Amino acid sequence: MSDHPLLRVNAITKYYGSRVGCTDVSFNLWPGEVLAIVGESGSGKTTLLNAISTNLMPTSGTVEYRMRDGQFRDLYRMGEAERRFLMRTDWGFVHQNPADGLRMTVSAGANVGERLMAIGNRHYGNIRQEATQWLGRVEIDADRIDDQPRDFSGGMRQRLQIARNLVTGPRLVFMDEPTGGLDVSVQARLLDLVRGLVNDLGLSAIVVTHDLAVARLLSHRMMVMKEGRVIEHGLTDRVLDDPREPYTQLLVSSILQV
Amino acid sequence: MNKHSELAVYNFAYLDEQTKRMIRRAILKAIAIPGYQVPFASREMPMPYGWGTGGVQVTASILGPDDTLKVIDQGADDTTNAVSIRAFFQKVAHVAVTTQTAQATIIQTRHRIPEETLQDNQVLVYQVPIPEPLRFLEPRETETRKMHALEEYGLMHVKLYEDIARNGHIATTYAYPVKVEGRYVMDPSPTPKFDNPKMHRSQALQLFGAGREKRIYAIPPYTDVVSLDFEDHPFEVQQFEEPCALCAASGVYLDEVVLDDRGGRMFVCSDTDYCEKRRDNGHVGHLNGETAGAVK
């Protein structure tokens, strides 16, 4: 790991009118690190993720990202063109509902190839080859390359969404409930896949989830949120095995044992 | 011409002068930013949307008493749309009209660029149904405008990619997207892609009017217009296997005409003026002079 964080989040606060979305959240994310944000519905996880990933302007606070040249830049002070370019090259965003992150009416190959074309790749053969390779990495058969995602199952769609995001070799991936809505065996395979990819590619990731098992499997570090605040923060194993806050204890003890 | 001096009549070219000024301002802006879609306050015209209300407003705004107008619809001077618009301007502007490409100063067109090379004293006005090339890929207007502003045109290639993935080649044959002067991606209206190369560094000014969508855009003379493609699937125009059945012209855009219900068909020039001129000059195609019944 490098000496500098990849992302510096400083006192992010988001109010919806007088209601609190999240308040005063600060943390650093290091290269290669996976951070899980857990908490119940309405605790501000998604608000925080959107505020960090520039989808939602925070009320106050700053988010700084270390660009490839090593310089930190405040995301909300960048031009829109630069920010959008960053989002489709150096970042990925995996939505809970694959339909939000995919183009449902174009083929799987074009979905994966879109980012390549967006950064100026103009060779059909190369784009297709790259797309085939990525479909293989996310365990989608190569002969499905010309099928549209609406013909895919939920798990396949989610894997396709991941391939689409990773094709430009991003350094940071945001995931919002990546396994939401999938049955347990598909979830397990997807988590396995994501864990493998994160390790192989040395990605940093911020994963929002209400499922502690996801946090346990994927993340190195986790933050527990409640009512817009981070109430506990530490290494995943420490937080899950030795929760300190009463709410975290409640959360951990709420897991059904089979 | 009818007597119009004492009766209450339409203002010259139908639109009032303030409206024409507004449209001219939009046109000037469009010329200043080649390929950029300029919003304008499109008016109701005495014809339905889809019949060229955008083109008619542009023509009305640039038309002067000394102009000679030609109107074509799918290349032809004698189809309903062309005849009505020509009659409209004869009635409301009393301008000279022609069917001959070389004599016209303003040519309003639906779906074709004349075969004869246009000159620098001519203006070509296109009727445009959907000005936004990204529309079918991105339905949000706010988003497409942002994409144009930030030059994010990857999505346009997604469409071409889909074409190749499904058909093995770029199957888009009309409204083929172009990049204007290295900046804006533009929909050349539903002209066949056969005509795209004619837009490149054309001597004539090209204006595009979309009435329902309320947009005007332009290609100034001598502007680079490049059709989008892939390195390994370069842009190509349609090829026709046989020459025009009436005038034997090759290398022009042909229409297929069904002759009977037994498979009889002929291919003829879509540009009627070009075809007639060639026939007047003695060119004879293989079906010229024969009636439909005589073929097979």
Side-chain angles (χ1 to χ4, degrees), chain A residues 80-81 84-85 88 103 105-111 113-114 117-128 131 145-146 148, chain B residues 136-140 143 146-147 150-162 164-166 179 228-233:
Chain A
E80 191 172 13
R84 283 170 66 113
F85 183 75
R88 62 171 193 265
R103 289 193 190 279
T105 52
V106 303
S107 68
N111 263 297
E114 180 177 344
M117 295 181 240
I119 57 171
N121 201 321
R122 293 289 178 265
H123 192 284
Y124 175 81
N126 295 352
I127 293 168
R128 197 166 170 83
I145 190 168
D146 292 331
Q148 294 184 1
Chain B
F136 292 106
L137 299 148
E138 176 51 65
R140 289 168 296 176
E143 185 66 14
K146 199 169 274 180
M147 289 160 89
L150 301 178
E151 232 178 317
E152 286 179 9
Y153 290 132
L155 201 50
M156 210 66 251
H157 274 84
V158 171
K159 181 183 184 315
L160 301 180
Y161 172 97
E162 279 293 280
I164 305 174
R166 283 189 200 159
K179 194 163 216 181
L228 301 181
D229 59 3
F230 284 102
E231 287 156 17
D232 46 348
H233 286 268

Side-chain angles (χ1 to χ4, degrees), chain B residues 4 45 70 78 96 106 114 131 203 205 233 235 241:
Chain B
H4 56 279
M45 296 304 281
K70 170 181 162 87
D78 52 4
I106 297 175
Q203 296 180 48
L205 171 63
H233 286 268
F235 172 79
E241 285 167 8

